[in-house]
Amino acid sequence: MPHPEIVRGVSGGGPSVLISGARAPVALHLARLFDGAGWRVVLADTPAKPLSAASRACAAYFRLPPPRFEPARYGDAVEALVVRENVSLVVPTCEEVFYLAHMWRERQPAALLFAPDIDLLQRVHDKYAFIELCRSLGLAVPHTRLLRGKDDVLSVRAEAADLVFKPVWSRFASRVLVHPSRAELDGLSPSPQAPWVAQQFLPGEELSVYAVAREGRLAVFSLYRSIYRAGKGAGICFQPLEDERARAFVERFVAGTGWTGQISFDLMRMADGAVLPLECNPRATSGLHFFRNPKGFVAAATGDTGFVERDVARPQTVRLAMWIYGLPAALRAGGVGRFRRDLNAADELLDWPGDAAPKRAQWLALGEIATLALRHGISLQRASTRDIEWDGPDQSSI
């Protein structure tokens, strides 16, 4: 059963939406958008003090068991929560989407899960299966090979200098090897349960996409690039972009898969303007922050209108993350002046009229993650997702 409710807010009395992954800034942003569109917003996650729980958009926050380690108890808690809070729509934001989709298949709760079925989710999360799916839809893709054992690694050793190696199940560019050395290759031990891919290295500009689709029709589209990252992975300062070929790729993909829900992509724009896919994240990402019109966004996402354009043109950032990750990177690269200019040019994405508490609450949320990182001897980034990671049906990373 669920842990006790820990926050009760002031959100309105319209239809109830449950937003999971409350630790994430995108969950906070979705809560604000749904609240502004007249929905009653219920939030849920594992941490005791997630960022979003402090928001005035939050009518209620519930603490859940960790889905990666206690999936049955997690399912029980979510099912009870949907009934008790009269939830009609569940919107996942992070990798808990896989656990929820699996639960929806087995238990079929009354609420609508805003995500595809578990088979399609797993297929796009798998870095090899995703590329093969794109190929089957007639989309251009980088040459990608599946590595399921040492012999597969040996078969690509001669061309390793032109390849990128990464686990099929991974996130935040964790463990990615670009132009690996012989010693790094020798250290790879892929298996059928934990395979890797060897992908053609693409010299170009990396682009990111956040999108929402309904039954294969694109409803929300946001293209952007990360100016600063937390290590090699998640962006912490990003600016909006335009590219018709990127939008055409997404339109063709969601149409070919009949996609419903949120979906995000990492793409590469080549020198000739061609756009090729790298990987897919079937969840919310930072491109969401370029939408601040609640009624327009929610109407498009939930099916009342056709398509909504983003309404934010300035770069977006979390300043605390910039000081933690961006400044050290700038110091190493000798780019402190550029760091200062970029920081000043970007809006703080946590700011929202009449809702200042989450900006203060980020310190408590960071402290909780830091404590977890110290306890388990892992990075802050890994600690932030440890309990919701999905590494395939057999969860081989546990």
Side-chain angles (χ1 to χ4, degrees):
M1 296 298 293
H3 290 252
E5 179 183 320
I6 62 169
V7 172
R8 179 66 66 177
V10 296
S11 182
S16 292
V17 58
L18 170 61
I19 299 174
S20 59
R23 72 193 70 186
V26 287
L28 170 63
H29 203 91
L30 283 169
R32 288 163 161 175
L33 291 171
F34 273 91
D35 176 65
W39 289 63
R40 177 177 179 271
V41 177
V42 178
L43 287 150
D45 205 347
T46 304
K49 298 183 181 297
L51 184 71
S52 306
S55 173
R56 67 182 303 277
C58 173
Y61 172 68
F62 290 88
R63 193 176 182 190
L64 302 173
R68 182 170 171 230
F69 305 113
E70 301 179 50
R73 288 188 63 234
Y74 179 81
D76 291 343
V78 171
E79 190 172 26
L81 180 54
V82 165
V83 173
R84 187 169 63 252
E85 296 298 312
N86 196 27
V87 169
S88 58
L89 179 67
V90 176
V91 182
T93 59
C94 305
E95 285 190 24
E96 81 281 353
V97 65
F98 300 101
Y99 298 94
L100 290 170
H102 192 272
M103 172 199 156
W104 246 251
R105 169 178 287 184
E106 291 189 338
R107 307 186 186 211
Q108 300 180 345
L112 172 67
L113 179 66
F114 197 54
D117 66 83
I118 184 62
D119 291 339
L120 182 54
L121 285 169
Q122 286 183 171
R123 192 175 180 189
V124 302
H125 186 46
D126 178 323
K127 291 178 173 55
Y128 181 74
F130 165 65
I131 293 296
E132 291 301 297
L133 176 56
C134 290
R135 190 195 310 278
S136 74
L137 297 174
L139 295 161
V141 297
H143 186 50
T144 306
R145 276 165 288 192
L146 183 64
L147 310 178
R148 295 164 58 88
K150 282 286 192 180
D151 288 345
D152 293 329
V153 178
L154 289 174
S155 72
V156 298
R157 188 172 189 140
E159 52 194 301
D162 298 317
L163 299 173
V164 177
F165 294 77
K166 49 191 173 182
V168 158
W169 311 109
S170 57
R171 65 225 29 96
F172 302 140
S174 63
R175 301 163 66 196
V176 169
L177 301 176
V178 182
H179 312 314
S181 66
R182 179 165 299 206
E184 288 175 322
L185 274 184
D186 290 342
L188 289 187
S189 298
S191 68
Q193 294 74 34
W196 282 56
V197 294
Q199 191 169 77
Q200 171 191 357
F201 175 77
L202 300 177
E205 179 185 11
E206 188 170 343
L207 311 176
S208 298
V209 170
Y210 168 77
V212 176
R214 299 189 318 275
E215 298 179 350
R217 186 162 59 88
L218 190 64
V220 174
F221 176 78
S222 177
L223 184 71
Y224 62 104
R225 73 179 183 95
S226 295
I227 307 171
Y228 294 86
R229 295 179 180 273
K232 294 187 292 184
I236 55 173
C237 183
F238 24 87
Q239 63 180 185
L241 298 172
E242 298 286 347
D243 190 294
E244 285 303 314
R245 294 194 190 186
R247 177 165 170 169
F249 168 87
V250 177
E251 287 178 329
R252 189 163 180 177
F253 186 91
V254 299
T257 57
W259 195 273
T260 291
Q262 301 175 103
I263 189 167
S264 303
F265 299 92
D266 292 330
L267 309 174
M268 190 66 76
R269 181 163 58 190
M270 310 299 285
D272 64 358
V275 172
L276 298 179
L278 296 177
E279 56 190 66
C280 175
N281 297 301
R283 54 179 173 79
T285 54
S286 300
L288 169 67
H289 296 295
F290 295 107
F291 297 88
R292 288 203 165 217
N293 176 353
K295 291 183 179 179
F297 178 90
V298 173
T302 58
D304 295 333
T305 63
F307 184 83
V308 64
E309 300 284 352
R310 68 169 177 242
D311 51 279
V312 174
R314 283 171 56 85
Q316 302 292 297
T317 193
V318 176
R319 281 182 161 73
L320 178 58
M322 280 288 279
W323 290 114
I324 292 173
Y325 295 104
L327 180 58
L331 289 170
R332 290 192 297 270
V336 176
R338 180 195 162 196
F339 170 83
R340 185 165 51 245
R341 290 190 298 272
D342 290 338
L343 188 63
N344 290 336
D347 292 334
E348 169 59 67
L349 63 84
L350 296 180
D351 285 341
W352 195 272
D355 194 25
K359 193 173 179 181
R360 298 189 297 269
Q362 67 181 319
W363 291 99
L364 287 175
L366 177 62
E368 188 171 1
I369 294 170
T371 300
L372 190 65
L374 288 171
R375 182 184 307 145
H376 295 282
I378 55 178
S379 68
L380 279 175
Q381 195 169 62
R382 178 71 199 283
S384 72
T385 62
R386 176 179 176 271
D387 61 320
I388 55 173
E389 292 174 359
W390 176 273
D391 286 348
D394 64 356
Q395 291 292 278
S396 55
S397 69
I398 295 180

